[in-house]
Amino acid sequence: MSAMTTGRLQDKAALITGGGAGIGAATASIFCKEGASVVLVDRDPAALAQTARSIREQLPQARIEVFSTDVATPGGAQAAVDVAARSFGRLDVLVNNAAMRNYSAVADAQPEEWRAVLDVNLVGTAGFCKAALPLLRQSGAGSIVNVSSCFAVTGRKGMAIYDASKAAMLALTRTLAFEEAAHGVRANAVCPGSTFTTFQINKGKAEGKDIDQLMQARKDNSLVGRWGTPEEIAWPVLWLASSEASFITGTTLMVDGGLSIM
């Protein structure tokens, strides 16, 4: 899906975690098309290199830096923010998109499973916010967009750890909105629904499902009767990051094709 670009992030700098593929990579591409300089963070250096290469093939003028780290690694957030400071001299937008999944039922989950997911999805997100805030405050119009999940506000079985961590991200977003308003930093969250990414394709293959089967499996999981694309999540992220959403902070935007009201 394509849309007209209008330079919404012209002369801005952004940092995107989980930028090696899926929603993060789509967000990076759209941000670059809208004029932003971008630092991509991911634990997979090969995926980072591929995403950066793909964007540069489409946009030779794109300013992209990559930094490989697990967002749960102590010091990783500050090191990533330092890349933005050295390369671009500023940071205006932070997109917390990196995530870890878990499929254990509450009755079966071990404490270490909870800790592993929370270290990435909640503690890691908070760590990147903390590291980025000094530069976001200097921006004068800083924006944080946290990528949560529609299942942070609905229910399902088998994903309690992931969904609880994503619900905690929404609370963190609201707190950030309160604390950072005086510093000119907005904080918002998007809640994607079923999104067709490389992760979903690989997961389906591991379960013996081809793409046609995967497409049919989620046909009833939205009011619009299909999966979303990474780009359909990235456009709302862009909007919340831009000055067009300058009067919006502390909000949760459902980007799920209506799944959360079914």
Side-chain angles (χ1 to χ4, degrees):
M1 179 172 290
S2 62
M4 184 179 297
T5 56
T6 59
R8 292 176 178 92
L9 298 181
Q10 193 66 44
D11 301 323
K12 303 288 187 181
L15 188 155
I16 302 168
T17 70
I23 294 170
T27 301
S29 178
I30 288 173
F31 274 26
C32 287
K33 290 174 183 175
E34 291 287 339
S37 302
V38 175
V39 176
L40 287 175
V41 178
D42 201 286
R43 67 178 182 177
D44 185 343
L48 281 175
Q50 174 58 40
T51 295
R53 182 165 54 249
S54 176
I55 294 173
R56 290 188 180 113
E57 287 174 356
Q58 299 177 50
L59 298 167
Q61 75 278 16
R63 298 184 67 194
I64 308 171
E65 298 290 338
V66 298
F67 184 78
S68 182
T69 188
D70 188 316
V71 298
T73 301
Q78 188 58 60
V81 170
D82 289 345
V83 171
R86 288 194 305 269
S87 301
F88 309 135
R90 62 186 299 146
L91 185 62
D92 306 278
V93 179
L94 170 65
V95 178
N96 286 302
N97 172 66
M100 178 180 180
R101 291 170 173 82
N102 180 285
Y103 301 94
S104 294
V106 175
D108 303 321
Q110 300 300 309
E112 56 268 24
E113 293 179 87
W114 282 93
R115 295 188 188 103
V117 173
L118 289 169
D119 276 350
V120 173
N121 297 1
L122 181 59
V123 180
T125 293
F128 268 81
C129 289
K130 180 178 180 179
L133 279 172
L135 286 179
L136 292 175
R137 290 171 176 178
Q138 288 178 26
S139 167
S143 177
I144 297 171
V145 183
N146 293 325
V147 180
S148 179
S149 168
C150 69
F151 293 106
V153 298
T154 63
R156 58 178 168 174
K157 63 181 181 180
M159 294 285 286
I161 301 176
Y162 177 84
D163 293 351
S165 72
K166 290 297 188 175
M169 284 180 69
L170 300 183
L172 173 65
T173 301
R174 292 189 291 268
T175 298
L176 281 166
F178 270 101
E179 293 179 348
E180 294 303 316
H183 302 288
V185 178
R186 296 180 298 108
N188 293 289
V190 296
C191 289
S194 300
T195 309
F196 201 67
T197 64
T198 302
F199 172 85
Q200 298 291 353
I201 294 172
N202 292 337
K203 180 174 178 289
K205 286 181 178 178
E207 297 171 350
K209 300 175 183 176
D210 60 27
I211 290 180
D212 288 339
Q213 289 173 310
L214 288 172
M215 297 297 282
Q216 288 297 319
R218 295 295 181 94
K219 190 173 181 180
D220 297 328
N221 272 24
S222 73
L223 291 179
V224 298
R226 61 174 177 82
W227 293 77
T229 68
E231 290 76 17
E232 286 177 306
I233 313 302
W235 285 111
V237 172
L238 166 69
W239 182 67
L240 286 173
S242 77
S243 61
E244 292 179 4
S246 57
F247 198 55
I248 299 176
T249 193
T251 196
T252 297
L253 178 60
M254 309 307 294
V255 190
D256 63 354
L259 189 157
S260 56
I261 65 169
M262 292 175 67

